[in-house]
Amino acid sequence: MSTVLKSAKSIIPLLDRVLVQRVKAQAKTASGLYLPEKNVEKLNQAKVLAVGPGFTDANGNKVTPQVNVGDNVLIPQFGGSTVKLNGDEEVILFRDSEILAKITE
């Protein structure tokens, strides 16, 4: 089932969900040559667009997500729930525990 929404701002993650958008790979080489779109690989790097408030565990402790809006993160190759936006844009919902790492610059 595919849902088409107007923008990522209309999505508010619940519990420990994190909304991310993949960083697009360069379609141009260092020497200035353009690569065909089918030859450009999907990167496992994404930018966090929205973060849910967290959840309360069985012991009553508040568990908050470890990432914040604007963080660059490493995501798994597969998984998450893809949501299509107007045009060809896609965003992905992951659980906080599925995010592999934060990327610092």
Side-chain angles (χ1 to χ4, degrees), residues 82-97:
T82 302
V83 180
K84 293 186 186 260
L85 303 177
N86 278 348
D88 292 337
E89 296 292 316
E90 287 185 351
V91 292
I92 308 167
L93 272 168
F94 283 102
R95 287 189 181 273
D96 181 54
S97 60

Side-chain angles (χ1 to χ4, degrees), residues 4-25:
V4 178
L5 299 172
K6 291 182 181 180
S7 73
K9 291 181 181 178
S10 63
I11 303 171
I12 301 170
L14 300 176
L15 300 173
D16 64 337
R17 302 292 198 289
V18 178
L19 183 70
V20 300
Q21 184 171 31
R22 280 189 194 270
V23 174
K24 293 185 180 179

Side-chain angles (χ1 to χ4, degrees), residues 20-105:
V20 300
Q21 184 171 31
R22 280 189 194 270
V23 174
K24 293 185 180 179
Q26 293 290 337
K28 188 171 151 182
T29 65
S31 60
L33 297 174
Y34 287 94
L35 300 171
E37 189 172 316
K38 65 181 178 181
N39 290 352
V40 177
E41 291 184 27
K42 285 187 177 180
L43 296 177
N44 288 1
Q45 184 177 347
K47 183 168 185 146
V48 176
L49 302 176
V51 179
F55 65 97
T56 305
D57 67 8
N59 297 326
N61 299 321
K62 178 80 172 173
V63 179
T64 57
Q66 297 182 17
V67 296
N68 297 310
V69 174
D71 285 348
N72 288 320
V73 294
L74 196 61
I75 57 174
Q77 183 80 19
F78 302 101
S81 299
T82 302
V83 180
K84 293 186 186 260
L85 303 177
N86 278 348
D88 292 337
E89 296 292 316
E90 287 185 351
V91 292
I92 308 167
L93 272 168
F94 283 102
R95 287 189 181 273
D96 181 54
S97 60
E98 294 175 336
I99 304 249
L100 303 175
K102 280 186 188 181
I103 301 172
T104 59
E105 315 244 343

